[in-house]
Amino acid sequence: MDKEVSSLKHLFVTVFLSNFAIMVVNPAIIDITMDAICPSQDKCSLAIYLSGFQQAIVGLGSMLLMPLIGNLSDVYGRKALLTIPVTLLIFPSVIMAYRRTTNYFYAYYVVRTLTGMVSDTGIQCLPIAYAADCMPEGKRASAIGIVAGVGSAAFVCSTFAVRFLSTAQIFLISSISSSAAAIYMTIFLEDTNRHINTDEDPVNQPILLANNANECTSDSSPKNIPPFYHVICLLKSSTTLLLATAISFLYGLAEGGIQTPFLYFLRARFGYNKDNLAVLMLICYGGATFTQLILVPRLAPIIGEETILCLALIAGFSNMLIDSIAWVAWVPYVVALFPMFLFLAKPALQSIVSKQVGPNEQGIAQGCISGISSFANILSPFIYSPLTDLFLSERAPFNYPGFSMFCIGLAWLIAIIPSVMIRFGTCDSRRKIRDILC
């Protein structure tokens, strides 16, 4: 790891601890939800719809808040805004660590829904903006890939931990991890400077260096711009950003489908429990950790983020196509290797977006893309939850229990079209300071 990437070590630790706190509860939450709502049942429509409703509300909140939070991070600093989602992670886990009765489950459900609007997406997009601040464009894809890889590594470690922890211990460990993340970043993580040094080479120098205030083409600053208006201006400023928006929407639509409906499909179809899901996720994220930490830094300079994005989307469609026609319980384990390439799509897209905007816009750009993805997450449960319930029941119009899984993969297949249309211009992001472009 070179010196510039190693300078992000405190960010990596914060990302790891935060993602560990989120992900360690995922394999257990399906069983907890079923036990609280439909005890002693393998199929439960209410649990599917309740989880889908939570996902939709979290997506709606994220859609509205992420561009604002990203914009505020451009103004007040990445660290200050990153502290908010990291701290909010603590509260839901504390509730379930204390007690797991039905009433406490509903309390957890409400608190997790409210805090998830900020924490789920905030912990994903703000570290990307932080890394973009600290890296020159030539190394930005590698840094973003490593940030994503650290998140995947957290998932692998959390999945291992779930295998050896009771349900009570899972939420206790989650509480400790989220608290440690908040304390660690407060002490060790330094904020970035998001300006340009025009005396240095604009391609090879990190963009966190200070610049002369006269570089701005307008006296206005992000503080004076309504976030929604700034988002529209940003999207209109580049064809690549418009295409990235379409990809983010389609990716988020499919991603929302594998968050809850896919897990209920596996439980209903093959009787998967907490341990089965943990093993499946371990395979997925173990491969993703390898590709994000090892392959992306080596492949991105050679074949480019656009090619990586296309290959990742093809892998996603192939994965869901095979899962939809799975005939025995071991098939999902075998095809779980496809996500090791699918999970390259998001860091590739984030790297593409980061190169289209200036250093004073990294936060709002990443927040905008995350917000679009969250909007797709709102729609996803309304599409895939009823579809999953229908085709797993006796009311299915034809015998294809995995039809909803095929539809999830179809969204990734369609996303390939705008991904192949993306072409970079010759102007690099360091010269694109659009504090008020339109």
Side-chain angles (χ1 to χ4, degrees), residues 133-134 192-198 200-201 204-212 359 430:
D133 287 343
C134 300
T192 62
N193 187 351
R194 298 162 304 282
H195 297 286
I196 302 171
N197 189 341
T198 56
E200 304 290 345
D201 179 67
N204 297 320
Q205 295 300 317
I207 60 177
L208 62 84
L209 299 176
N211 76 306
N212 190 324
R430 160 186 322 274

Side-chain angles (χ1 to χ4, degrees), residues 235-250:
L235 294 180
K236 289 167 57 180
S237 66
S238 168
T239 302
T240 299
L241 286 178
L242 289 174
L243 293 171
T245 300
I247 296 170
S248 180
F249 176 82
L250 292 167

Side-chain angles (χ1 to χ4, degrees), residues 86-123:
V86 172
T87 303
L88 289 176
L89 278 179
I90 301 172
F91 301 106
S93 297
V94 168
I95 295 174
M96 293 302 285
Y98 179 71
R99 191 168 296 174
R100 286 164 306 286
T101 62
T102 300
N103 290 336
Y104 277 86
F105 167 78
Y106 283 113
Y108 165 83
Y109 181 87
V110 172
V111 174
R112 179 69 181 86
T113 302
L114 295 176
T115 58
M117 297 178 186
V118 176
S119 61
D120 285 9
T121 311
I123 290 173

